[in-house]
Amino acid sequence: NEIDTIKKRRPKLVVQRAVDLCAAPGGWSQVLVERMMGESQDTSTAPSQDTSSSSSTAPSSPAIVAVDLWPMEPLTGVHCLQGDITALSTAKSIIQHFQGQRAEIVVCDGAPDVIGLQEFDEYCQSQLLLAAINITTHVLATGGTFVAKIFRGRDVGLIY
């Protein structure tokens, strides 16, 4: 999968902070928890409520923020943030949760509601992807990794 590919390409990448954009229902967030916190770790603790007031700039354990327009069910090890990825305030909330630090990885599995008109659906997905790229410029650390789903359409070459 994509996480294994990233690890092969960047074996020295250490991820302490991750962001899952357009996260509902939370599948990628769960994968991030498994990969970052280890499958052997006890996952019976409560989800993060972002109550830390520590002055430390690095989390003591990996931190994951999941962002979506819609409310999400709590996920163990994940701070769920209901927010709009096109809003600067959402980027600021993510950085605040990371105590002023940026994420080493940002993933986006977002897709618009498709209506069946291929060109329109591709356009909507490309706009969602551009919004994800935009917020990523605010929350991704230098040298970090961005992974996103894209619709392969006529103009896909303009994106990557």
Side-chain angles (χ1 to χ4, degrees):
N1 71 32
E2 289 83 354
I3 301 290
D4 292 329
T5 301
I6 292 167
K7 283 186 173 185
K8 287 177 186 173
R9 290 183 181 168
R10 305 200 47 211
K12 294 182 181 184
L13 178 66
V14 176
V15 177
Q16 286 294 308
R17 292 169 297 276
V19 178
D20 183 3
L21 300 174
C22 306
W28 272 106
S29 294
Q30 292 172 347
V31 169
L32 289 167
V33 167
E34 290 173 9
R35 297 304 176 104
M36 290 172 63
M37 297 183 181
E39 294 178 23
S40 63
Q41 181 176 341
D42 178 17
T43 57
S44 63
T45 58
S48 170
Q49 298 299 316
D50 195 21
T51 58
S52 173
S53 60
S54 169
S55 61
S56 171
T57 58
S60 59
S61 64
I64 301 165
V65 175
V67 181
D68 204 280
L69 277 174
W70 303 103
M72 292 177 56
E73 291 293 321
L75 297 169
T76 300
V78 178
H79 174 71
C80 296
L81 174 65
Q82 186 174 355
D84 181 349
I85 66 169
T86 66
L88 184 58
S89 60
T90 300
K92 289 179 180 180
S93 293
I94 293 167
I95 297 298
Q96 181 179 7
H97 180 74
F98 293 150
Q99 300 172 358
Q101 299 294 301
R102 294 177 177 221
E104 290 88 11
I105 188 168
V106 176
V107 298
C108 180
D109 193 31
D113 294 329
V114 295
I115 63 169
L117 296 173
Q118 185 175 357
E119 288 181 358
F120 181 76
D121 292 339
E122 288 173 11
Y123 172 79
C124 290
Q125 203 277 332
S126 68
Q127 293 304 301
L128 183 62
L129 181 59
L130 288 173
I133 291 168
N134 185 45
I135 193 170
T136 297
T137 65
H138 296 280
V139 301
L140 186 64
T142 301
T145 300
F146 175 66
V147 179
K149 170 174 58 182
I150 61 170
F151 289 179
R152 290 189 174 264
R154 180 184 68 211
D155 296 323
V156 72
L158 298 173
I159 297 173
Y160 69 95

